[in-house]
Amino acid sequence: FKLNSGAGTTSATFRGIVVGEDMELCKCAIYPAGAHKLNGNSLSVNMPDVYNIGSNLSNTNSPMIAMLGYGETISFGHMAGLMTFSFKNVPAGVCSFVLTAADKDITGYFNVDLEGGLATIEAAPLTSKNTVTVNFAPLDQRQDITISVPMPIGTYNGMSYQLLDETGNVVTESSTKATNVV
């Protein structure tokens, strides 16, 4: 199915054709499209390590799911938390935000149980997928910005973050203590 109308709004229309026995295959719809995998009632959702959001700093690409039924209106719900960071007086040229979790993976594949009612992405023990980068169009002037990052739900025992300019220089960096993402 493909988006037919409503991009960027709270209501959208999708068009596609499902015939005969293929109707049984329609279990859920996932946004944004990606390298997700469905096996029975288990869904493996890919949380990317890089988001390229262009000039729209309010774009989150937070993973959403809607359980499907034939001929019904579907409602999407978030599978992950959304962590938001606000910065004042950010210099021109800044174009990347890098977030690193101290003790949990925040990128890669996460299993979601579709039987449990709430299809949520839970934080996983740390391997090496604990950094996510949000790239955006370089700021053309000094300004306040807000960046949101999709995160698996859980308690994190610390995070660090950086704002980088076009040459990769660190403009701002900081760290946090324990944080809950719900």
Side-chain angles (χ1 to χ4, degrees):
F1 287 79
K2 298 217 182 237
L3 179 65
N4 185 58
S5 65
T9 68
T10 60
S11 180
T13 303
F14 295 85
R15 298 267 187 236
I17 298 173
V18 179
V19 180
E21 293 178 15
D22 289 340
M23 290 300 294
E24 294 299 317
L25 299 175
C26 295
K27 293 186 180 188
C28 63
I30 302 169
Y31 173 86
H36 314 301
K37 302 171 187 171
L38 180 62
N39 184 10
N41 288 319
S42 180
L43 173 64
S44 184
V45 175
N46 183 34
M47 298 284 287
D49 57 353
V50 176
Y51 292 93
N52 294 307
I53 62 173
S55 59
N56 182 1
L57 291 179
S58 63
N59 184 358
T60 65
N61 282 328
S62 182
M64 300 175 75
I65 189 168
M67 301 309 289
L68 299 180
Y70 181 70
E72 298 176 22
T73 298
I74 59 174
S75 294
F76 282 89
H78 288 278
M79 289 189 284
L82 198 57
M83 193 139 200
T84 301
F85 298 83
S86 294
F87 301 95
K88 300 278 187 195
N89 207 22
V90 178
V94 168
C95 60
S96 292
F97 175 77
V98 179
L99 177 68
T100 302
D103 65 334
K104 301 270 192 302
D105 280 350
I106 57 177
T107 67
Y109 283 93
F110 294 83
N111 291 324
V112 175
D113 182 6
L114 299 179
E115 297 265 333
L118 290 176
T120 57
I121 298 169
E122 303 286 333
L126 180 64
T127 58
S128 62
K129 299 177 180 184
N130 63 326
T131 299
V132 64
T133 301
V134 178
N135 294 318
F136 47 93
L139 300 178
D140 57 1
Q141 62 185 358
R142 192 172 279 276
Q143 65 189 70
D144 298 347
I145 64 170
T146 299
I147 308 245
S148 296
V149 181
M151 300 276 296
I153 294 168
T155 300
Y156 296 85
N157 291 319
M159 294 182 189
S160 61
Y161 59 85
Q162 299 176 323
L163 282 175
L164 306 174
D165 67 14
E166 296 169 284
T167 61
N169 291 323
V170 175
V171 174
T172 299
E173 65 183 328
S174 188
S175 60
T176 66
K177 294 185 179 181
T179 304
N180 287 318
V181 176
V182 293

